[in-house]
Amino acid sequence: MEQKIQFTLNDRPVTVTTDGERALLWVLRTDLGLTGAKYGCGQSQCGTCTVIVNNEAIRSCNYPVKNVAGKRVLTIEGLALNGRLHPLQKAFMEHGAVQCGFCTPGMILNSYSLLLKNPTPSREQVVKSMEYNLCRCGSYSRVERAVLAAAAEMKGGEA
Amino acid sequence: MTEHAGFLTRREFVKILGPGLYILVSAQDFLSGQAPKGFGRGYPEDFNAYLRIAEDGRVTCYSGKVELGQGITASLAQMLAEELEVPYESVSMVLGDTKLCPWDPGTNGSRSIKYFGPALRAAAAEAREVLIQLASEHLRVPAERLIAENGFVFQRDNPGNKVDYGSLAKGKTIERHLETKPPLKAASAFQVCGKSLPRADFQDKVTGKAQFAGDIRLPEMLYGKVFRPPAHGAKLKRVDVSAVKRIKGARVLQEKDFVGVVHPLPDVAEKAIALIKADYELPEATINDGNIHEYIIKTPARDSVVEEKGDLKEGRSRAVVTFEETYRTPYVAHAPTETHTAVVHVEGDTATAWIGTQRPFGADAEIARAIGISDDRVRVITPFVGGGFGGKSQVGQAVQAARLSKLSGHPVQVTWSREEEFFYDTFQPAAVVRISSGLDKSNRIAFWDYHVFFAGDRSSQNIYDVPNVRTTSRGSGFGGGGPHPFPTGAWRGPGSNTNIFSRESHIDIMAAKAEMDPLEFRCLNLADQRMLRVIDAAAARFGWKPAKGPSGQGRAMVCLDYLGTYVAAMAGIRVDKDSRIKVERVVCAVDMGPVINPEGARLQIEGSVIMGLGYCLTEEMHFRGGAVQDIDFGSYSIPRFSWVPEIEPVLVENLESAPSGCGEPPIVGMGALLANALFDATGARVTQLPLTPARIRQAKA
Ligand code: FES
Ligand code: FES
């Protein structure tokens, strides 16, 4: 059923008119032209489609777009503020936590939500919260390092 | 900054390349241009095919290689900058564009550094010498008194007298060539290579700007889905597309057995294709993952002798103890995080295709064949590729997109669903190896009779110092056929994952029987000094303490030579009470000759070790006949964060050998490494991958 859905996307108000049951991932990628969130499985199993809705990491491939009405959505495109990279983005680059880069937006946003809840995570907590973000290139140990480094850099607050 | 061909619109091309050769207005212009000299089967001679120097001094490097995540963006730029004598930062890459880049056989087999590297370096070295000649005329100073550095040509004894490359080349094709090609720099003189310079693709990959094939948007583009049979080998009897009418905007496109749907939205196209109903005739499903290895052994095919030396009979007679063992490996999926994706725009008798592929040259011909146009009317552009591992040498998705584009008259994007990715994958083939060997009374290997079935012969060659050897390979690992119910193909380290699992497991079995430490046993039987050095490097880092197996420590080693790159790896594991393996530590020493980008090499080693955990511990495709049963990450389990051990890459210094690859060598030893560690921990020997708890329990019993 077509409906009008209003929400905040990367700090800007947007309105889409579409079938509210459609997955947020496809609305972002096609209707709204933001291709940073990726399709990796469509079944909530890989995490490449991760975006932030009201500070929570969600898997947008299985998230009906009508559920974001009135909420704040953050995608990878909105993470750098005025061209200034977020400490997580910098740390991913510095620590080589990127290979093909296809899982990277999801990895960064999932760890972003972790750091919101737990600004000083232990190594085990990082592993636990990232467990279901898949990286076939095998950059896990670098991602872990990058998240810990970013947390240290942010010193418990948003840098 | 790297410009990636995939991002560029036509207008941007003009902007970047400036007023050089490529001022282009339309697709027609692209496709009517003459291919530069040397295109075809082989790397071109003309250095202009590899590089262009703009008036502002920026250098564009053209290569038919593609960026899959392996970091070729950096290492090729480093090799070019090194020989051309320009700053690394001044080099931009254009990769995998069949119109702009020199022909290439594809990005696979860890061959980029080894084979393309010398061609690129030779081109850059020649260009540098030609620039010195041009400068000599420009500055009116004899060439012997000039020196090239940092994008300038200087007078040696009067550095103020200089001219920059940009003013000499002016963005144009340089017509002059040298009769005698200048030598390449010795690795000991490297200034740009050998450094961990940053990769230009990282910034776009952390901000979401990096474009993969699925991120390409063209005006009027539609999303396509092709109807898929329930099993390989199924024959379509009847198809009913009537229900698709219920979906607004969906179009059914049909051509004989080819049935597809296009829609302006990808998720709606997916919904539409699911409404199609069909009857199939299914072949009898006699082969499955339980009995495939029997079929492999029974399937007749030609044996080819890979190597033969000495006399097996004579070896047998000298042996005081003999060994017979059979090793089995399963079908393994590539499962790249980005599923196969392509956008193809067919316009009359031309086509432009954006494909996430490892083989842009070759993909062009397949598209041309599928839609009945000539090869040279297809241009393939390769955006960033979200992992390939061999699987993206196949471009079935691009053929689907091309056919749908032709039938619909629109550009069409096809992104395989995860289920399609598993179904259409060209798996690493299931395979069998039989080894018969013997030890003489001084624990030297007296004979080695090795037979590999349907894995391919890569790395099947014996590396030990054995007088009597025969290595035989039956069938091929590629292309399906033979015993295989579905297509098979190259998977990161093709053939070698099976061959080295078998050989290095077998060596360990022999060492245990000889009651020798596995490292000492190997050293006793190795003559290759380079291999011994690599083993030393690994042992020093690991802190290897000699003990005969099973020592109860859960530690093990392997050594191997993969296409000229040497690896020695050591691991420490734990086996829990449920017979599950937890890998705690892996040391991986690699001698790849001179290392172009050490950090890039370390990433490849770490990535290989982690990916290796999958095919060794869990990954195994289940199937009944042509029906693939593992179609998601729920049942096909790939490595996750919690699996990851401490990984310690060791780069063994070697400036004497030619630079060689590192994308595959570290993965191919993982099977034997873990099987040997399992034996060392428990005394249980498992000769079939993956090392599942069920197999471990069975071996313990
Ligand atoms: S695409 Fe959403 S979890 Fe995989
Ligand atoms: S970097 Fe390739 S999937 Fe993670």
Side-chain angles (χ1 to χ4, degrees):
Chain A
M1 233 246 307
E2 292 254 309
Q3 59 190 103
K4 207 160 134 187
I5 300 152
Q6 294 183 315
F7 59 102
T8 309
L9 177 58
N10 297 333
D11 281 334
R12 286 202 201 109
V14 290
T15 307
V16 286
T17 306
T18 190
D19 175 356
E21 298 300 331
R22 290 181 61 212
L24 174 62
L25 174 66
W26 298 118
V27 177
L28 288 171
R29 289 183 52 81
T30 52
D31 308 45
L32 295 164
L34 294 183
T35 57
K38 306 294 183 201
Y39 168 85
C41 72
Q43 298 164 311
S44 301
Q45 290 176 338
C46 75
T48 60
C49 64
T50 303
V51 300
I52 306 291
V53 176
N54 281 4
N55 289 340
E56 284 286 337
I58 61 104
R59 305 220 148 170
S60 65
C61 66
N62 263 323
Y63 195 89
V65 62
K66 64 175 192 217
N67 290 6
V68 299
K71 295 185 181 160
R72 279 171 298 120
V73 177
L74 172 72
T75 71
I76 192 69
E77 289 91 343
L79 193 58
L81 280 183
N82 310 318
R84 216 163 51 96
L85 293 185
H86 186 274
L88 274 165
Q89 292 172 309
K90 273 193 270 175
F92 268 63
M93 290 176 67
E94 269 157 34
H95 293 272
V98 182
Q99 290 193 28
C100 78
F102 200 76
C103 70
T104 309
M107 290 280 179
I108 291 177
L109 290 178
N110 200 61
S111 49
Y112 173 85
S113 88
L114 166 70
L115 296 188
L116 284 181
K117 283 184 226 147
N118 178 0
T120 53
S122 67
R123 204 176 144 170
E124 290 68 36
Q125 286 167 327
V126 172
V127 168
K128 191 155 175 259
S129 84
M130 302 295 289
E131 181 71 353
Y132 293 95
N133 280 68
L134 299 180
C135 173
R136 189 56 156 167
C137 300
S139 55
Y140 296 130
S141 23
R142 300 305 185 107
V143 170
E144 185 187 298
R145 245 185 261 177
V147 174
L148 292 171
E153 155 96 22
M154 289 157 71
K155 296 198 189 65
E158 177 89 42
Chain B
M1 268 310 295
T2 293
E3 304 295 349
H4 201 276
F7 304 164
L8 307 180
T9 62
R10 243 154 240 152
R11 184 157 343 109
E12 284 170 319
F13 259 122
V14 176
K15 223 164 53 201
I16 285 156
L17 298 173
L21 254 186
Y22 302 112
I23 298 182
L24 301 148
V25 194
S26 70
Q28 292 305 322
D29 283 357
F30 266 114
L31 294 160
S32 59
Q34 280 296 310
K37 211 166 56 183
F39 276 43
R41 309 272 112 180
Y43 291 128
E45 296 266 309
D46 182 358
F47 63 79
N48 289 289
Y50 302 84
L51 60 96
R52 184 161 300 260
I53 304 166
E55 208 150 11
D56 63 3
R58 290 207 57 84
V59 182
T60 308
C61 172
Y62 301 92
S63 167
K65 297 294 177 198
V66 305
E67 180 59 65
L68 306 160
Q70 82 283 37
I72 204 74
T73 308
S75 40
L76 293 185
Q78 283 175 276
M79 288 193 281
L80 175 80
E82 183 75 64
E83 298 287 349
L84 189 58
E85 298 289 355
V86 296
Y88 172 70
E89 299 72 32
S90 72
V91 181
S92 305
M93 303 298 297
V94 173
L95 296 170
D97 184 321
T98 58
K99 191 65 198 170
L100 303 178
C101 304
W103 175 86
D104 192 272
T107 307
N108 50 41
S110 299
R111 290 189 180 97
S112 298
I113 303 274
K114 192 172 176 177
Y115 296 111
F116 182 71
L120 176 64
R121 290 170 63 198
E126 184 178 354
R128 178 196 69 224
E129 292 304 310
V130 168
L131 286 162
I132 291 177
Q133 282 190 4
L134 295 175
S136 154
E137 288 151 28
H138 180 93
L139 301 171
R140 296 172 203 283
V141 176
E144 313 79 73
R145 288 171 54 200
L146 297 176
I147 184 168
E149 216 177 274
N150 234 355
F152 284 87
V153 182
F154 297 84
Q155 184 175 337
R156 227 182 267 269
D157 51 10
N158 177 14
N161 193 23
K162 63 178 180 181
V163 57
D164 64 284
Y165 282 9
S167 312
L168 295 168
K170 298 199 176 71
K172 299 218 176 75
T173 301
I174 301 172
E175 296 297 346
R176 193 177 306 187
H177 290 86
L178 300 179
E179 280 299 312
T180 353
K181 307 294 176 197
L184 301 184
K185 269 193 199 175
S188 54
F190 282 168
Q191 288 180 339
V192 188
C193 294
K195 291 203 178 112
S196 293
L197 297 174
R199 257 169 68 177
D201 54 331
F202 277 7
Q203 169 113 9
D204 285 342
K205 286 178 174 176
V206 301
T207 55
K209 276 204 197 80
Q211 277 196 315
F212 297 82
D215 304 331
I216 304 291
R217 299 286 177 269
L218 299 179
E220 310 280 297
M221 187 179 85
L222 300 176
Y223 294 86
K225 278 277 148 197
V226 172
F227 193 63
R228 181 169 59 83
H232 292 275
K235 281 207 181 52
L236 186 63
K237 285 201 327 211
R238 201 186 53 84
V239 60
D240 174 7
V241 299
S242 57
V244 177
K245 280 203 289 286
R246 296 214 300 269
I247 306 270
K248 207 173 108 206
R251 269 174 75 189
V252 176
L253 303 166
Q254 244 173 311
E255 196 181 45
K256 294 191 197 120
D257 280 2
F258 178 85
V259 185
V261 169
V262 288
H263 191 276
L265 294 172
D267 43 333
V268 183
E270 175 102 49
K271 236 163 93 182
I273 199 86
L275 294 175
I276 296 182
K277 300 214 165 28
D279 288 337
Y280 283 94
E281 196 179 294
L282 288 166
E284 205 192 333
T286 43
I287 305 184
N288 57 56
D289 46 271
N291 64 16
I292 178 67
H293 297 103
E294 293 163 37
Y295 278 89
I296 287 172
I297 291 283
K298 282 194 303 209
T299 303
R302 220 171 53 85
D303 276 334
S304 62
V305 176
V306 181
E307 58 177 345
E308 201 160 20
K309 169 168 105 164
D311 177 3
L312 286 179
K313 247 217 226 115
E314 134 81 16
R316 271 181 203 282
S317 70
R318 276 204 304 112
V320 294
V321 46
T322 58
F323 304 82
E324 305 279 338
E325 204 56 72
T326 303
Y327 302 88
R328 296 172 179 86
T329 56
Y331 294 101
V332 180
H334 296 89
T337 313
E338 176 206 36
T339 59
H340 277 66
T341 302
V343 178
V344 181
H345 191 192
V346 179
E347 295 165 279
D349 68 345
T350 70
T352 311
W354 288 258
I355 315 176
T357 181
Q358 293 176 247
R359 208 169 47 95
F361 293 90
D364 50 1
E366 279 186 49
I367 289 171
R369 221 176 307 130
I371 57 173
I373 62 177
S374 75
D375 293 12
D376 58 356
R377 308 298 285 171
V378 181
R379 177 186 184 195
V380 174
I381 298 169
T382 313
F384 286 120
V385 185
F389 317 113
K392 286 190 184 152
S393 292
Q394 306 304 322
V395 289
Q397 89 283 22
V399 167
Q400 291 182 346
R403 294 181 74 175
L404 293 173
S405 175
K406 186 181 174 186
L407 292 169
S408 67
H410 287 257
V412 172
Q413 177 173 129
V414 169
T415 299
W416 279 351
S417 67
R418 181 53 60 187
E419 185 172 342
E420 287 174 300
E421 186 71 22
F422 276 114
F423 181 81
Y424 288 123
D425 196 8
T426 47
F427 302 109
Q428 164 164 290
V432 175
V433 172
R434 277 187 176 153
I435 309 177
S436 149
S437 68
L439 288 178
D440 68 15
K441 55 183 187 312
S442 51
N443 289 328
R444 303 282 308 249
I445 305 170
F447 75 96
W448 181 262
D449 190 4
Y450 185 101
H451 204 157
V452 49
F453 299 80
F454 291 96
D457 63 6
R458 193 177 291 175
S459 306
S460 64
Q461 296 85 349
N462 163 60
I463 60 166
Y464 293 90
D465 184 25
V466 184
N468 308 298
V469 176
R470 185 176 60 194
T471 301
T472 315
S473 170
R474 179 176 301 174
S476 141
F478 299 160
H484 305 301
F486 28 63
T488 60
W491 194 101
R492 199 174 193 174
S496 306
N497 289 308
T498 295
N499 285 317
I500 290 172
F501 166 61
S502 309
R503 182 183 70 225
E504 286 298 300
S505 293
H506 200 79
I507 292 292
D508 228 59
I509 290 173
M510 293 166 73
K513 183 83 183 174
E515 302 199 338
M516 281 184 76
D517 171 63
L519 185 149
E520 283 171 1
F521 178 80
R522 283 178 172 82
C523 293
L524 175 69
N525 281 287
L526 276 166
D528 185 338
Q529 293 304 311
R530 191 174 167 193
M531 189 67 80
L532 291 167
R533 270 205 313 277
V534 181
I535 292 175
D536 277 349
R541 171 65 71 89
F542 190 80
W544 183 274
K545 294 195 185 54
K548 69 178 165 72
S551 75
Q553 301 171 64
R555 62 96 163 101
M557 72 164 291
V558 294
C559 60
L560 61 103
D561 158 8
Y562 180 89
L563 302 178
T565 294
Y566 282 55
V567 177
M570 296 181 174
I573 69 160
R574 249 183 325 106
V575 183
D576 71 13
K577 58 177 186 342
D578 301 321
S579 292
R580 246 190 301 271
I581 292 178
K582 169 74 181 134
V583 182
E584 294 186 310
R585 185 180 177 216
V586 175
V587 167
C588 187
V590 183
D591 171 356
M592 64 194 92
V595 182
I596 305 299
N597 187 311
E599 180 70 350
R602 278 184 216 109
L603 285 179
Q604 283 299 297
I605 295 171
E606 294 173 26
S608 289
V609 168
I610 292 171
M611 191 175 185
L613 298 178
Y615 86 83
C616 299
L617 299 180
T618 54
E619 292 181 39
E620 162 172 40
M621 181 49 66
H622 296 95
F623 62 97
R624 290 285 170 274
V628 172
Q629 292 179 318
D630 294 319
I631 48 169
D632 60 39
F633 289 128
S635 67
Y636 192 90
S637 167
I638 68 169
R640 300 175 182 282
F641 266 91
S642 62
W643 299 23
V644 176
E646 281 307 320
I647 306 171
E648 298 166 55
V650 179
L651 306 181
V652 180
E653 192 176 292
N654 171 4
L655 295 182
E656 274 77 60
S657 307
S660 59
C662 185
E664 297 168 319
I667 199 174
V668 297
M670 289 300 292
L673 185 61
L674 301 190
N676 294 347
L678 170 68
F679 171 76
D680 192 59
T682 63
R685 173 61 61 180
V686 177
T687 54
Q688 180 167 0
L689 289 179
L691 308 169
T692 57
R695 291 196 181 108
I696 294 172
R697 276 194 293 270
Q698 203 186 355
K700 275 185 186 161

